[in-house]
Amino acid sequence: MLAARRPIWRRVVITAVGVVCVLRVRRARDLPVAALPVLLGAHQLVEAAVWNAGGGCGPASTAWAVIALPVLPVWVAFGVLLAAAPGARRVLWGPAAAGLATAAVLAYCLATRPVYAEVRGHTIGYGVAVPYAPLVVAGYLFATLGALLLSGDRGLRLLGAVLAAGAAVCAALWRLEFASTWCAFAAASVLVLGWVRRGPGGPGRAGPGDHWFWPPRTNSR
């Protein structure tokens, strides 16, 4: 895994976008997806501590890996499952199951093996020994990108497509030893914000009792 160095203010912006997303949520079941930029922003703030420590096997490196590896696939898969329309949920149990299985393997690896962060110019590479790595990566991608692409929601499918393209670009830049995941994180945050503002599936899809902060307006005479 490779992560790029970026100014602290950009990390704060990602978190701030996440707070806006959460405040704009209208249905309680949309909250995990809306809070995704908060999670990513916290992840980037942890990475700032990794930079300050010069990499190594410290607590910041472990915290970074905990969010990136076992937490994210479960968060995304089940967040999309909750936010999806009832008709789309059956197919989303596959990514959810993959997320749980992948997270279990990764959590075991983090609990029994050290995480090492190495500063490489303007990037940090993270390493942890994971058995059957190609299979674990496939499960990870299915739980995250697969859930978004199978969600049945146009905004979430767009988010999945952007993140898939970003993953491909970051992999190419990793081989060139200069990378910036900032664009992918920022694009994800902005797209999630737009998804929350318009509401999944368009207006009028929320059911009674589903609203989080703003209940639907009623006209009284």
Side-chain angles (χ1 to χ4, degrees), residues 143-173:
T144 52
L145 301 181
L148 292 168
L149 294 172
L150 294 173
S151 65
D153 178 89
R154 183 173 59 183
L156 291 181
R157 287 199 303 264
L158 178 60
L159 175 59
V162 169
L163 291 179
V169 170
C170 288
L173 294 179

Side-chain angles (χ1 to χ4, degrees), residues 19-206:
V19 172
V20 172
C21 289
V22 171
L23 292 178
R24 289 182 177 272
V25 166
R26 298 192 177 190
R27 304 183 306 183
R29 60 191 180 94
D30 295 335
L31 186 60
V33 173
L36 183 58
V38 176
L39 179 65
L40 296 177
H43 193 223
Q44 294 301 290
L45 292 173
V46 169
E47 189 187 70
V50 178
W51 277 107
N52 291 337
C57 299
S61 301
T62 301
W64 188 97
V66 166
I67 297 174
L69 299 181
V71 171
L72 199 57
V74 173
W75 187 296
V76 173
F78 279 90
V80 172
L81 178 65
L82 288 173
R89 290 177 188 168
R90 179 175 297 180
V91 71
L92 291 173
W93 281 108
L100 285 176
T102 302
V105 173
L106 293 173
Y108 174 80
C109 292
L110 293 180
T112 58
R113 301 162 190 178
V115 178
Y116 183 75
E118 179 184 359
V119 177
R120 305 173 186 169
H122 295 288
T123 63
I124 294 183
Y126 295 87
V128 60
V130 177
Y132 308 104
L135 184 60
V136 173
V137 170
Y140 187 100
L141 294 177
F142 183 53
T144 52
L145 301 181
L148 292 168
L149 294 172
L150 294 173
S151 65
D153 178 89
R154 183 173 59 183
L156 291 181
R157 287 199 303 264
L158 178 60
L159 175 59
V162 169
L163 291 179
V169 170
C170 288
L173 294 179
W174 181 2
R175 289 193 294 268
L176 297 176
E177 296 195 4
F178 69 93
S180 177
T181 55
W182 154 246
C183 292
F185 283 127
S189 300
V190 171
L191 285 171
V192 171
L193 176 61
W195 178 77
V196 170
R197 291 185 65 182
R198 72 173 177 82
R205 293 292 298 277

